[in-house]
Structure formats: structure tokens, C-alpha cells
Amino acid sequence: MKETSDKSLRDVIFTPKNMISLAFALHAIQVGSLISRLPEVQRDLELGEFAFSLVLIAATLGFLVSTPFTDRVIRKLGIKATFHVFFLFCAVAQAIAVLMPSGIGLGAALFFAGIAGNYTNIAINIEADRIEARDGVRIMNFCHGIWAVALLVSTGLATGIIALEISVFLHFVGIVIVTGVCLVLIQVRLDAAPPRGGTSKKQTWAIPDRSTFILFGYLSYGVVLEWLIKGWAIIYFREIFATSDTYASLALPVMIFAIAFARLRADIWITQWGVIKVTTILLLSTCVGIVFLVVAPSPGLAFAGLVFIGLGISVSYPVAFSTAARWGGANAADRVAAMSLMQQFVLIAIPPIFGMLAQASSLRIGFAVLILFPIMGFFFNRKLAD
């Protein structure tokens, strides 16, 4: 009886949904740890803002260079092997990066970390979609919700680690160990799903096509708003409302909490009401949030705006990636990679454009213009199939 009970408990804990969610959490832990400790690396290397920005571009270049080969890599290795090779490679590359004695060395290490991070990001989304197709349940939004929660936890833990004056290198040695433990669990417990639509014999390249542009027309509002708010929210609160840095620093956690909450519930919403209704309501939420943020006479209404924006953009990534994988069928990896490629090009172009707009006018006007992106989303979300 006890053996049966233990087996039943293992079946409840080590479900495919939980195991792929663990992979999403691991990805967020690696990202959160890196962004939390890089400012110390910049200080130790005595890099100026411009030089440091060039170093960070190396990770993006690694992403861009590796993306066209995604289908070939995942086809050659398989999903679980892709997890093991590139999660571990990314953790080791990060640990090596923080030991580099120069900006050039740091950039080189981040380039390889970018390659590994790209393949793990695409692989976890592909496997989540395959599990959805095999088991007939929606889990993509939940997985992305776990990613957001893990990002908050990892950055919070990093703050504590910094306060304890633990070295950056020892921190990343810990990340390597955590990565190894998680990979053992994934290897033993993840019941990998077969490719959606079978295995295609034809190898393809991650080149955007018409369907990619349609999906990115919807996704763009989430990409632009999330990344610009991450970069500018603290500055917005400090300059518009003259708040302290401590108070302004609450802006990002507020938005991420809203994103995480909605993602953890969104699979249920979409199952009940369908993807078109849910995405339409959340696009409206985004528009309301932008209006609140722009017209707010005080920080309170601006924080409410961030909550509405966080709720609004929450499903944009998981819905778009899930749809790309579904439309891609046997070549799902390349469809997801092609959309990720477009995302990276936008992330390179939009921040400086927004910065120039805000400098020429004001931050309020800069954020007000962003309402054009969710408005555009209304035209493209109708293309999403239930």
C-alpha cells in the first residue's frame, strides 16, 4: 500500500507540466542571476555606459547568429539533449564571463551564453507546445507564469546574496550546481512528447514568413511595452513624480507580479472563453494601463496603470509562441525561432528610437505613443486560432 501511495505521489509531483515548468524556471534563474550581477562586473572592469552597452550586444549577436540553425540543432540532439547541453553550457559560460579580465573577454563569453540561452529558450517553448498537443491541455501560459515568478525569486535572492557579500563567481558556481540538479530531475522525470505533426524529413531554416509577420503583429505590443517599461519605468517615476529611487524601483516588480498572476490563470481563461476573447480583453487592459500611466497626476494611478499593462501583456508571449509552434507543425522549432529572431531585431531598434522620442518631447508623450502597438494588436489577434 505504501509503495502504491509513494508512486501516486510521484505521479502528482513529477508530471510533464511540472517538469517543463521546472525547465522554464531554470531559464529564468539563469537570466535573473546574470542581470542582477552584471552591474558589479561593469564596476570591477571599470567600463563606461557606452562600452558596457557594446559588451551586452554580444549576447544579442550570439542569439541572432544561432537562430537560423535552430531546427537542425534540435533535430540532431532532440529536446532533452538540447536542454542538457545548452542549459549547462549557458551556466558555465556565465561563470566564465564574470572571471574575464576585460570587456572583450566578457563580451566573448556573453556571446556564447547568448547562443546557449537562445536554444534553451526555444526548446522549452517547443516542448511545452508538444505536451499541449499530446495531452490535450493548455500549459503554455502557466509555464511562462512560472518563468516570471522564478525571475522575481532569482533577482530577490541575488539581492540577498549581494548583501551577504558573496562573490559573483561563487554565485554562478551555485547556479551551475542548481542547473545540474534540475537537469537530473528533467532527465529522469520528463516524459518528452513527440513532435507536433510528426517528424519532417525536410530540414528548414528559421526565416520569417507571412505567418511569422502576422503573429509578430500581435506579439509586438507585449515585446515593446515589457522591455521599455523594464528600462524606463524607474526613470519615469523619478522624473515625473520626483519619487525616491527605492520607491521608483517598485515599478518593475509590480508589473511582473501582474504578468505572473495573469499567466498562471490564463490557460483556464482561454479554455473557457477562447483565445480571441481573452486576447481582446487583455489588449483593452493594456490600452487602459497606458492611459493611466500617461495621465497619472500621482504615483498611485501610475502604479495602477502598470498593473493593467502587466495583465494586458501577460499572454502575448505564450499565445504567440504556442500559435507559432502549432502553425509550424513538424517544423515548429523554426517557426518559433523565426519569431524570436524578429523579436530581437525589434529590441535592438526600439529602445534608441524611444529614447530619442522621449528626449525630443517628454517621457509622458513617449509612453503615450506606445498605445499604437496594442491598437495594432487588435487587427492581428483575430488571426489567432482557438
Side-chain angles (χ1 to χ4, degrees):
M1 177 68 78
K2 186 177 185 299
E3 183 180 347
T4 303
S5 176
D6 290 342
K7 183 178 180 181
S8 177
L9 182 61
R10 288 196 300 270
D11 290 341
V12 170
I13 295 174
F14 300 112
T15 62
K17 176 181 176 180
N18 290 344
M19 288 297 95
I20 191 60
S21 295
L22 177 62
F24 273 83
L26 179 58
H27 186 272
I29 289 169
Q30 292 186 342
V31 171
S33 300
L34 184 64
I35 63 177
S36 297
R37 302 306 298 256
L38 274 178
E40 295 170 79
V41 178
Q42 177 194 12
R43 180 199 62 204
D44 293 342
L45 294 180
E46 299 180 346
L47 295 173
E49 282 73 14
F50 179 71
F52 188 59
S53 67
L54 292 179
V55 168
L56 294 183
I57 288 176
T60 302
L61 290 176
F63 185 104
L64 295 175
V65 167
S66 61
T67 295
F69 306 99
T70 302
D71 179 72
R72 294 163 184 262
V73 169
I74 293 179
R75 187 192 300 270
K76 184 73 172 179
L77 296 178
I79 282 289
K80 291 175 78 170
T82 301
F83 286 170
H84 301 330
V85 171
F86 291 107
F87 267 127
L88 193 58
F89 186 90
C90 186
V92 172
Q94 289 178 344
I96 293 174
V98 302
L99 291 177
M100 289 294 103
S102 67
I104 294 176
L106 175 61
L110 290 180
F111 174 82
F112 289 106
I115 293 175
N118 175 37
Y119 286 140
T120 56
N121 175 49
I122 293 171
I124 58 179
N125 280 282
I126 291 298
E127 182 59 19
D129 174 73
R130 289 178 178 180
I131 292 172
E132 284 190 333
R134 182 191 65 188
D135 298 346
V137 294
R138 288 186 178 272
I139 64 169
M140 186 69 81
N141 285 285
F142 180 85
C143 291
H144 280 262
I146 293 297
W147 190 96
V149 171
L151 181 67
L152 279 174
V153 171
S154 66
T155 52
L157 287 175
T159 301
I161 290 171
I162 292 170
L164 292 173
E165 298 183 352
I166 296 173
S167 74
V168 180
F169 177 67
L170 284 179
H171 184 171
F172 283 99
V173 169
I175 297 300
V176 172
I177 295 172
V178 169
T179 298
V181 172
C182 290
L183 290 177
V184 169
L185 280 173
I186 291 170
Q187 172 63 32
V188 173
R189 295 296 180 181
L190 177 63
D191 180 18
R196 182 190 286 270
T199 303
S200 172
K201 295 181 179 180
K202 180 182 178 182
Q203 291 189 335
T204 57
W205 299 91
I207 306 299
D209 58 10
R210 181 176 179 274
S211 65
T212 310
F213 282 98
I214 289 173
L215 282 176
F216 196 78
Y218 164 72
L219 174 63
S220 59
Y221 87 101
V223 173
V224 170
L225 281 165
E226 181 175 347
W227 285 93
L228 286 182
I229 288 175
K230 282 180 178 178
W232 288 88
I234 294 177
I235 299 171
Y236 185 85
F237 276 80
R238 190 176 59 211
E239 293 191 3
I240 300 299
F241 304 115
T243 62
S244 66
D245 286 344
T246 302
Y247 190 66
S249 67
L250 295 173
L252 184 55
V254 164
M255 186 183 74
I256 294 179
F257 270 119
I259 291 173
F261 169 79
R263 283 179 177 173
L264 292 174
R265 301 294 301 170
D267 289 316
I268 298 174
W269 298 341
I270 292 174
T271 299
Q272 289 180 339
W273 300 306
V275 69
I276 305 299
K277 289 182 180 178
V278 172
T279 54
T280 299
I281 291 171
L282 294 180
L283 283 163
L284 284 171
S285 173
T286 305
C287 293
V288 171
I290 293 173
V291 171
F292 281 3
L293 184 65
V294 170
V295 305
S298 64
L301 187 59
F303 276 122
L306 290 178
V307 171
F308 276 99
I309 292 172
L311 294 173
I313 67 177
S314 60
V315 304
S316 58
Y317 277 95
V319 164
F321 280 109
S322 180
T323 305
R326 186 169 66 251
W327 287 358
N331 295 319
D334 273 338
R335 294 306 92 213
V336 173
M339 195 158 59
S340 297
L341 187 65
M342 292 185 66
Q343 173 190 335
Q344 288 301 312
F345 279 120
V346 168
L347 291 179
I348 291 173
I350 287 294
I353 293 174
F354 179 84
M356 289 187 290
L357 175 61
Q359 184 172 342
S361 53
S362 70
L363 279 173
R364 285 189 189 269
I365 292 176
F367 276 107
V369 171
L370 298 183
I371 201 170
L372 296 174
F373 286 94
I375 289 174
M376 180 175 68
F378 284 112
F379 293 97
F380 288 99
N381 82 314
R382 302 294 173 181
K383 303 288 186 179
L384 304 173
D386 282 319

